[in-house]
Structures are given as C-alpha cells and as structure tokens.
Amino acid sequence: MTAWKLARVAPDGTHHVALGAPLYKTRFLEVLAFHEPGLAPARDMSGAYHIDVNGRSAYAARYVRTFGFYEGLAAVHAEGGWHHVRPVGTAAYTERYAWCGNYQDGRCTVRDRDGRYLHLDEGGRSASTERWRYAGDYRDGIAVVQRDDGLHTHVDREGRPTHDRWFLDLDVFHKGFARARLDDGWTHVDRAGAPIYARRFAMVEPFYNGQARVERFDGGLEVVDEHGEPVVELRARSGNGDAETSGNDEPHGMGIDP
C-alpha cells in the first residue's frame, strides 16, 4: 500500500503521520486527509494548496482554502470565487461560483452568485438549464433538487425528473428506497416515487438489510420491514440512558451498512 493511503492527520492537525511516525518534517497551519491521486489539502502563511506525501507543494498556485480531490478534481476557494482544480493546480473550467461541492458520480453541486444551485458535469459545464433553490449530491445517477415553492423531487444526471411526485422533504435512494416527507408524515418511496406502505411516521431512517427504525407520532420507536410492518417495538430510554427493546433485539448493523 502506498504511503499516502496509510497517512492520517496528526492530532494537532499540522501534519500527517503513518504507522505512528510523521511523513515529513514540515508543519502547516492546517492539513486535511489525503485523497487519490495522493494529494492532501494544506495551508501555511503563503495560502492554501495541495501537498504530496513528502509534504511538498504540488503546484505554485495559492488559494484561500483547498479541499480534497474527488474524481480527479478538488474544490478550491480563490479570491475571485470558488472552482475546481486538477492535481497540477490548473483550473478545470473558467466559471467562478459562490460555493462548490465535491464531484460524485460524475456531477458536482455548485451555488452561483445569485444563490441558485445547479449541477456541473465532468467538464465543468452546466448539466441542465435548471437552476434550483437547492440541489444535492448524486448517488447512483440520482440527485434531490428543491424548487422555489419548497418541494423536492429526484432528477437524473441530465436534470430530468425521474418521476412526477414532489415532497416536503426527500433523500437520495439507499438500498432501492428513499426517505420522503408528505403532508401526513414520513415514509419510504420506491424509484417511481410511490410510498411502499400506507403508514406514516414522525421520522424514518434508511433501510439496512431490509429493516428500518422509525419514530411514531406518539414518540414510540419501532423497527419495520419493507412493507411497513412492525418487526420489533423499541421501548423509550430507561433512566440510566440505556435503550431497551421489547421482543426481539434490534437488528445488528443498523446505521452502519454502506
């Protein structure tokens, strides 16, 4: 394994260590984690930039802040606005934005100077003509967007709605289903945007291995299956702060399944 993959940010945040030893002698004002292709954001008195595993600057340019590389591009905050750079420090496109996120699934969320959100493609071009009140990251080719009336839907990589339903709140799909909030509460919806069961809840978590924890409107907690049927009811927390369950134990691994 290459050294940068073993590297971790030191407890004081000024350098990187691997196997308990510093990777280099230099100390910075701040460093962040390494990402492919083996570069990490760093900041010193000259500004912010990216360093290699030896603590050397990867390029001559300096920025206000730098962030990790994702899919070959890193978001940077420059004096003239936010954009993305390549590993050699050159700008990936000419436009400058009020804020940039990270590339995921070949798309990136940015906010323009008018406060509108849009997605960029791999070449830094607008992925669609739409400008949204908010636009989230892509996962498996789907992102959540919010229009001006506050409602949310799913769009594909070209910005086209994947179904005709709009929700008060919405997540991207996880294990085939998305959390969604309707007028009468939270539910899980399928790829067509249709609720997969009739019940509604005060809150729901994503499904993990076919089960999800939910909170009822009376404050009670339970675990349901993909039909909305209860698997186990979870008691309120006891006086010593420990959660108790009735019936079967809560499924192992909930909340940590990738």
Side-chain angles (χ1 to χ4, degrees):
M1 181 179 292
T2 56
W4 71 263
K5 292 184 177 180
L6 296 172
R8 299 293 182 268
V9 176
D12 65 1
T14 66
H15 62 288
H16 295 91
V17 297
L19 302 177
L23 280 177
Y24 45 77
K25 294 181 179 180
T26 308
R27 297 296 180 266
F28 299 91
L29 295 175
E30 178 188 31
V31 297
L32 300 178
F34 278 94
H35 288 269
E36 188 74 41
L39 300 177
R43 182 170 59 89
D44 59 21
M45 295 303 294
S46 71
Y49 50 101
H50 290 89
I51 59 173
D52 62 20
V53 72
N54 298 306
R56 294 189 295 256
S57 176
Y59 47 76
R62 293 295 182 266
Y63 302 100
V64 178
R65 288 197 71 186
T66 55
F67 301 88
F69 278 91
Y70 291 85
E71 300 187 0
L73 296 172
V76 299
H77 179 193
E79 294 290 349
W82 292 64
H83 63 287
H84 288 85
V85 297
R86 301 182 183 91
V88 293
T90 57
Y93 47 80
T94 58
E95 189 64 58
R96 297 295 180 265
Y97 295 96
W99 171 84
C100 289
N102 298 320
Y103 271 89
Q104 297 185 52
D105 205 19
R107 294 289 185 268
C108 175
T109 302
V110 299
R111 186 175 71 248
D112 67 21
R113 297 180 188 274
D114 293 328
R116 310 293 290 178
Y117 285 78
L118 62 146
H119 290 109
L120 303 183
D121 67 14
E122 300 93 328
R125 300 172 293 267
S126 177
S128 74
T129 59
E130 294 290 347
R131 298 295 184 270
W132 303 100
R133 182 176 177 179
Y134 179 77
D137 291 332
Y138 275 86
R139 178 190 289 172
D140 298 330
I142 303 293
V144 173
V145 295
Q146 182 185 33
R147 65 188 186 191
D148 287 340
D149 62 3
L151 297 181
H152 304 72
T153 196
H154 292 112
V155 295
D156 64 16
R157 287 165 52 87
E158 282 66 52
R160 299 171 302 210
T162 62
H163 51 72
D164 60 358
R165 297 172 185 257
W166 293 81
F167 303 91
L168 296 176
D169 205 346
L170 187 64
D171 274 350
V172 289
F173 288 97
H174 177 81
K175 307 295 185 184
F177 303 109
R179 302 183 323 124
R181 184 162 67 94
L182 300 164
D183 290 335
D184 53 353
W186 283 86
T187 185
H188 293 90
V189 298
D190 61 19
R191 293 279 180 172
I196 62 174
Y197 48 75
R199 300 178 68 188
R200 299 292 182 266
F201 300 98
M203 183 53 68
V204 297
E205 294 183 0
F207 278 102
Y208 294 91
N209 297 335
Q211 298 183 4
R213 194 180 78 155
V214 299
E215 179 181 349
R216 300 190 304 264
F217 291 106
D218 64 5
L221 301 175
E222 61 184 69
V223 174
V224 300
D225 63 19
E226 293 171 355
H227 301 288
E229 296 296 328
V231 175
V232 59
E233 183 167 351
L234 307 176
R235 294 179 184 170
R237 292 187 178 274
S238 60
N240 62 9
D242 295 329
E244 298 179 356
T245 65
S246 62
N248 297 323
D249 292 336
E250 184 174 354
H252 294 295
M254 292 190 67
I256 60 173
D257 191 24

